[in-house]
Amino acid sequence: MPVTPPPVMRSLVTATPPHQVTQAQVREAARTLFPRMAARQTLLDAFDNARIETRSLARPLDWYLDPRGFGEKNATFLTEARALTEQVARQALADAQLAPEDVDAVVMVTTSGLSTPSLDAWLIERLGLNRHAARLPVWGLGCAGGAAGLARAADLVRAGHRRVLFVAVELCSLTLVRGDESKSNFVGTALFSDGAAAAVVTAPDVPGPAPRLALHGAYSTLIEDSEDIMGWDVVDDGLKVRFSRDIPTLVQGMMRENVAQALGAHGWTRDDVRHFVVHPGGVKVIAAYEAALGLPGGALDASRAVLRDYGNMSSVTVLFVLEETLRGDPHGRGLLSAMGPGFSAEHVLLDFH
């Protein structure tokens, strides 16, 4: 029986909001936002230890210094998320040489704001996409959403939707809860930022530019009794980040076996993989991946570079890492990985052209 060729990625586009700030500027703002915690040098050191230099925000930094309710934050999310998704989606379609009306399905990933109708419905209207396109809005996967969304886009191609637009957008800065001096909220302020990405995934025989990579399969894992590890608590002021347990220790303890399972499910081995595209949840998480997988120095430089220049944009970040990896003209097999609320791990098997 002939083997069906895997779906391919034709384009990948990323973007950030225009309000760029340095980590030093955010650290100074934290003194106003969280005076009690900022008075403790060991906590303030979190901004330096994050190894982030610059980040982009949905609003100017001063905007965050005033109290904002959930309604205002979410209205801001809708305005800025729509602008970013339109920007990246238009460019991704153009780069893939695909007319909007030819899109067969749309996958939309976000976790940092609410929209009903979902953002994909707005995007179909705005861009003139096919009104009969299958719609798959994905909410709540957090940092794992970029990997999972890419996998679902490929699944839709395998199911017969030959031209799929995949978009992810996160405005994590809008989840800052001013005056909440919990450690989770403080650490989130030191890490989180905003951005968007879009990709076009098609069947390999669809006319267009040369594929950037092929998508050979995916693997998902939901860890038992792990709901407390990461997520949102919904409070009057909006979505409040929840961090619990030691995520780097969890990564180091489970990732070696989990990656082996992900690869083995598709007949690959660890030795087959030349490139690791890893979501940079933080410098300690990156180090934990390296330790768990026995990676050589420099293997996750793309992850570190994205964290340094953009911060943690939740689901979008791993797509920035993929873009950074593609700039190096990679060849051979790769694995794209991210972890997020659930607590879950998502892996996508790649073959770079």
Side-chain angles (χ1 to χ4, degrees):
M1 181 179 294
V3 177
T4 303
V8 297
M9 177 187 287
R10 299 285 183 174
S11 63
L12 176 62
V13 175
T14 63
T16 59
H19 308 292
Q20 190 179 78
V21 295
T22 66
Q23 185 76 329
Q25 289 173 314
V26 181
R27 185 178 61 238
E28 287 307 304
R31 297 182 187 275
T32 299
L33 293 166
F34 315 109
R36 182 177 61 83
M37 299 189 79
R40 299 166 59 184
Q41 188 59 45
T42 54
L43 289 175
L44 203 58
D45 286 345
F47 287 87
D48 293 329
N49 296 338
R51 299 291 189 268
I52 295 170
E53 294 181 4
T54 56
R55 286 187 271 168
S56 293
L57 308 177
R59 286 287 184 264
L61 185 57
D62 288 349
W63 186 88
Y64 299 87
L65 301 182
D66 294 326
R68 308 285 177 181
F70 196 2
E72 183 180 4
K73 290 178 183 178
N74 203 67
T76 302
F77 170 84
L78 289 175
T79 298
E80 298 304 322
R82 287 175 172 181
L84 278 174
T85 55
E86 179 181 358
Q87 177 185 343
V88 294
R90 283 192 187 279
Q91 191 61 54
L93 292 172
D95 290 354
Q97 300 172 14
L98 186 63
E101 61 269 21
D102 291 334
V103 171
D104 299 310
V106 181
V107 178
M108 175 68 70
V109 169
T110 191
T111 298
S112 48
L114 305 178
S115 177
T116 304
S118 49
L119 288 169
D120 48 283
W122 180 86
L123 201 61
I124 289 172
E125 187 77 31
R126 183 70 172 181
L127 270 61
L129 303 179
N130 177 8
R131 291 184 178 273
H132 303 290
R135 294 166 49 204
L136 182 58
V138 180
W139 195 93
L141 292 183
C143 297
L150 186 59
R152 299 296 80 78
D155 288 343
L156 284 167
V157 172
R158 294 186 186 96
H161 303 279
R162 291 167 51 79
R163 304 166 184 86
V164 179
L165 174 63
F166 165 47
V167 184
V169 60
E170 302 288 5
L171 303 177
C172 301
S173 71
L174 298 176
T175 67
L176 166 71
V177 179
R178 189 191 188 284
D180 173 55
E181 302 214 16
S182 65
K183 188 172 181 180
S184 292
N185 192 48
F186 192 82
V187 171
T189 305
L191 288 175
F192 285 150
S193 54
D194 305 336
V200 170
V201 179
T202 74
D205 60 338
V206 168
R212 309 294 303 276
L213 54 87
L215 297 148
H216 278 269
Y219 192 81
S220 301
T221 302
L222 183 65
I223 302 166
E224 288 184 355
D225 300 321
S226 61
E227 182 181 352
D228 66 305
I229 294 179
M230 180 184 291
W232 299 131
D233 292 319
V234 181
V235 298
D236 289 344
D237 291 330
L239 302 174
K240 173 185 171 183
V241 69
R242 181 199 317 143
F243 292 129
S244 180
R245 301 197 226 175
D246 187 346
I247 295 173
T249 298
L250 179 69
V251 170
Q252 190 161 343
M254 69 164 283
M255 196 49 62
R256 184 179 184 87
E257 180 181 359
N258 191 245
V259 164
Q261 291 170 343
L263 298 174
H266 297 278
W268 289 18
T269 69
R270 168 70 176 76
D271 291 339
D272 293 327
V273 180
R274 297 179 60 185
H275 308 281
F276 286 88
V277 181
V278 173
H279 167 73
V283 290
K284 291 182 179 179
V285 174
I286 297 173
Y289 268 98
E290 289 176 327
L293 301 179
L295 298 179
L300 299 185
D301 279 356
S303 296
R304 286 192 171 88
V306 168
L307 184 65
R308 180 194 67 220
D309 295 340
Y310 298 99
N312 185 341
M313 299 169 283
S314 189
S315 68
V316 175
T317 323
V318 76
L319 302 171
F320 274 65
V321 178
L322 180 57
E323 182 183 53
E324 182 71 18
T325 302
L326 286 166
R327 289 194 183 102
D329 193 25
H331 295 278
R333 290 176 170 179
L335 185 71
L336 183 146
S337 301
M339 301 184 79
F343 194 66
S344 61
E346 298 284 345
H347 303 288
V348 184
L349 282 68
L350 312 174
D351 194 355
F352 293 100
H353 289 72

